């Protein structure tokens, strides 16, 4: 008899990759190429590029996966091993914990009543 717990549904997995550059246009262009290159990757459910508000040269790429198995299959597979991301030159490899972190766990969105409603009298965000 196995002592392993019964396998439940896969927990979503998120990979956060830190980047650092003052050249926003170059990083955004590299991100656009990466999005195109990774489109259709099995188990990859989303990509997002975030800019830190307190440090405009600090960026975070968030890769969302259906679960650890999908991520590990991609990471150890030939497509990933042969791929040289155009975002690689921007990776923040000086970060003390490394340039990426893997998170696993529930990430289901929780509805917040009124969160999507516009703020009364709010001015539009400046372009740029």
């Amino acid at each position: 008899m196995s002592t392993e717990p019964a396998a439940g549904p896969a927990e979503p997995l998120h990979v956060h990759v830190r980047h650092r550059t003052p050249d926003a246009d170059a990083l955004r262009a590299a991100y656009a190429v990466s999005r195109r290159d990774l489109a259709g990757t099995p188990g990859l459910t989303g990509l997002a590029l975030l800019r830190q508000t307190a440090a405009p040269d600090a960026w975070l790429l968030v890769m969302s996966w259906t679960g650890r198995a999908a991520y590990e299959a991609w990471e150890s597979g030939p497509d990933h091993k042969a791929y040289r991301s155009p975002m690689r030159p921007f990776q923040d490899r000086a970060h003390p914990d490394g340039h990426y972190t893997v998170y696993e766990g529930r990430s289901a969105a929780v509805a917040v009543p009124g969160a999507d409603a516009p703020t009364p009298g709010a001015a539009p965000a400046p372009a740029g």
Side-chain angles (χ1 to χ4, degrees), residues 23-42:
D23 191 346
D25 291 338
L27 183 62
R28 286 183 180 128
Y31 171 68
V33 172
S34 291
R35 284 185 60 86
R36 182 199 67 216
D37 292 348
L38 294 172
T41 298

Side-chain angles (χ1 to χ4, degrees), residues 12-87:
L13 186 118
H14 304 279
V15 180
H16 294 187
V17 185
R18 287 177 280 286
H19 296 81
R20 190 164 291 273
T21 182
D23 191 346
D25 291 338
L27 183 62
R28 286 183 180 128
Y31 171 68
V33 172
S34 291
R35 284 185 60 86
R36 182 199 67 216
D37 292 348
L38 294 172
T41 298
L44 182 63
T45 60
L47 289 171
L49 181 61
L50 310 174
R51 187 176 200 173
Q52 187 175 344
T53 58
D57 68 333
W59 299 79
L60 185 68
L61 173 69
V62 179
M63 303 175 75
S64 299
W65 296 86
T66 55
R68 182 182 292 208
Y71 171 68
E72 289 177 351
W74 171 76
E75 185 182 46
S76 64
D79 290 342
H80 178 251
K81 296 218 180 280
Y83 183 65
R84 289 292 170 239
S85 171
M87 296 181 73

